Amino acid sequence: MMPGLVARALDRGAIAFLAVLAGIGLLVPALNLLVAPTSPLYLSSYFVALFGKYLCYALLALAIDLIWGFCGILSLGHGAFFALGGYAMGMYLMRQIGTRGVYAHPILPDFMVFLNWPELPVYWYGFQHFAYAAFMVLLAPGLLAFVFGWFAFRSRVTGVYLSIITQALTFALMLGFFRNDFGFGGNNGLTDFKDILGFNVQAAGTRAALFMASVLALILGFVICRVIVSSKLGKVLIAIRDAEARTRFLGYRVEAYKLVVFTLSACMAGVAGALYVPQVGIINPSEFSPASSIEAVIWVAVGGRGTLTGAVLGAVLVNYGKTSFTSGMLAPYWLFVLGGLFVAVTLLLPRGIVGTLQHWRREMRDGTRATIADDREAIGAPAVRPAE
């Protein structure tokens, strides 16, 4: 059943996109590990970690596109789910440090020793095990999204009001995580990681493995999204996006559909955050910043809302531009560039990059079909009937 659903969901464009991702997942680590550093084809570990971070952002953008592009839910707080997944992974990485920390405490992280915490908080129990941490990467953001969505969607909060509430949610979490007595490192967050699954997190081989894991997660996330939007569930989501009141009048439980897709999207964002942390080496409350969530929405808008591939492309392109701008003399002007880019895309390319290209291709194809039909009528041949 499942292979059949996947096969029906993936068209030639999607298969080509997945092939490109798989090629990148194999080529980049190979050029880092198997090529001599003196070769012009060599890719440094810094490059591997940097583009691994971009892939995590791409998975976050994909999660946002699933709910915004296909269900009309504009979340300005998805950074909260991304950060919760990151903190779950960060807690596991902190528990792996042990006596190698500054204060050499076998159980307590350094910041707890510094703040004179007498013992490990209960909610830190179990994070010394990777399986438990991986479970919490999905549970923490998924549970928050489920509870939040249950109340928001049952109250029929939609549009800009829902966007403002999601932004308030992530801002409240940011304020909470900034507090030292919250037990998550305060404004410094969690850092100074040593190992992941027994491997040095700074080693080139570990960075390459994390990059490949990010590619695999992005591929899996893309396939899941394609299966959803190509199924009957996807058609109902699009109906909710375009005419929610009419869809509810037809008998569909709109709140249930919204809740399911919103929770799934939050879990995807959590996985993105979990893969992001070991590659960047730190997680702090700034990841909860509403500005980060708004940036993620801009990635989707630039790439193309409702295209999936556009969300991935937009995340990579915008963040590559951010890296280029913020590493030189133009650093103070990056926010102006980002705002100008969003305005320009909204006015000139409202469908985004990929959405505009797809629109042009459909117009060219429809124009070609019309020309063929006119030629057939001119010579007395029957016109080709469109497929039913």
Side-chain angles (χ1 to χ4, degrees):
M1 179 68 72
M2 184 58 66
L5 289 174
V6 174
R8 288 194 296 270
L10 300 179
D11 55 16
R12 286 181 297 178
I15 293 173
F17 177 75
L18 292 176
V20 171
L21 283 181
I24 292 174
L26 295 174
L27 183 62
V28 170
L31 294 179
N32 172 245
L33 300 175
L34 304 179
V35 176
T38 56
S39 172
L41 297 178
Y42 173 74
L43 295 179
S44 66
S45 295
Y46 168 78
F47 178 92
V48 175
L50 180 64
F51 273 80
K53 180 178 73 171
Y54 293 166
L55 292 174
C56 296
Y57 286 151
L59 183 57
L60 172 61
L62 196 66
I64 293 175
D65 194 25
L66 177 63
I67 59 171
W68 185 32
F70 295 92
C71 195
I73 302 173
L74 176 56
S75 171
L76 297 181
H78 246 54
F81 308 125
F82 179 85
L84 285 175
Y87 265 96
M89 179 56 67
M91 292 166 73
Y92 162 77
L93 295 172
M94 292 296 290
R95 294 296 306 274
Q96 303 306 300
I97 296 176
T99 57
R100 291 173 294 176
V102 175
Y103 297 99
H105 197 286
I107 298 178
L108 295 181
D110 284 339
F111 72 89
M112 291 187 183
V113 178
F114 177 77
L115 295 173
N116 296 318
W117 284 61
E119 59 184 0
L120 193 71
V122 174
Y123 47 85
W124 275 75
Y125 290 177
F127 278 96
Q128 69 271 25
H129 304 294
F130 180 82
Y132 178 81
F135 174 70
M136 293 303 295
V137 164
L138 296 174
L139 179 64
L143 182 61
L144 176 63
F146 182 85
V147 173
F148 173 84
W150 173 268
F151 289 104
F153 300 142
R154 281 175 61 89
S155 301
R156 298 190 180 182
V157 180
T158 59
V160 67
Y161 303 104
L162 180 64
S163 301
I164 292 173
I165 293 176
T166 57
Q167 194 172 48
L169 171 68
T170 189
F171 186 71
L173 287 171
M174 182 185 70
L175 295 179
F177 274 74
F178 263 120
R179 295 172 59 91
N180 285 327
D181 57 2
F182 230 53
F184 296 104
N187 61 328
N188 293 321
L190 309 178
T191 187
D192 194 30
F193 308 133
K194 308 296 184 184
D195 297 334
I196 180 170
L197 291 174
F199 298 96
N200 184 357
V201 77
Q202 299 293 335
T206 307
R207 290 185 176 274
L210 288 169
F211 180 89
M212 295 178 68
S214 301
V215 172
L216 289 175
L218 183 57
I219 289 175
L220 180 60
F222 180 81
V223 172
I224 291 174
C225 290
R226 284 288 304 184
V227 169
I228 289 175
V229 301
S230 301
S231 65
K232 293 181 180 179
L233 171 60
K235 291 179 173 58
V236 175
L237 295 179
I238 294 174
I240 294 172
R241 178 196 67 187
D242 295 339
E244 180 174 335
R246 184 175 298 178
T247 306
R248 182 179 286 107
F249 179 76
L250 291 174
Y252 290 96
R253 296 186 61 183
V254 170
E255 295 77 16
Y257 284 96
K258 282 186 172 183
L259 185 60
V260 168
V261 73
F262 188 73
T263 303
L264 174 62
S265 175
C267 291
M268 291 174 58
V271 173
L275 289 168
Y276 168 86
V277 169
Q279 297 182 84
V280 175
I282 187 172
I283 178 69
N284 57 41
S286 64
E287 298 297 338
F288 286 100
S289 170
S292 300
S293 299
I294 294 173
E295 272 195 45
V297 171
I298 294 176
W299 305 339
V300 178
V302 170
R305 172 191 171 195
T307 61
L308 297 182
T309 54
V312 175
L313 180 64
V316 174
L317 289 180
V318 174
N319 281 286
Y320 180 78
K322 181 178 181 179
T323 301
S324 302
F325 268 88
T326 56
S327 59
M329 296 176 58
L330 299 176
Y333 307 103
W334 163 246
L335 291 179
F336 296 100
V337 174
L338 183 64
L341 177 64
F342 183 63
V343 172
V345 168
T346 303
L347 296 178
L348 304 177
L349 296 175
R351 296 182 176 87
I353 298 173
V354 174
T356 301
L357 293 176
Q358 291 179 349
H359 178 69
W360 288 348
R361 187 176 62 182
R362 284 194 297 268
E363 283 190 337
M364 292 177 61
R365 185 172 62 245
D366 294 342
T368 302
R369 288 178 177 175
T371 302
I372 293 174
D374 292 341
D375 292 342
R376 287 179 176 273
E377 290 182 2
I379 63 177
V384 178
R385 295 180 59 189
E388 297 180 355

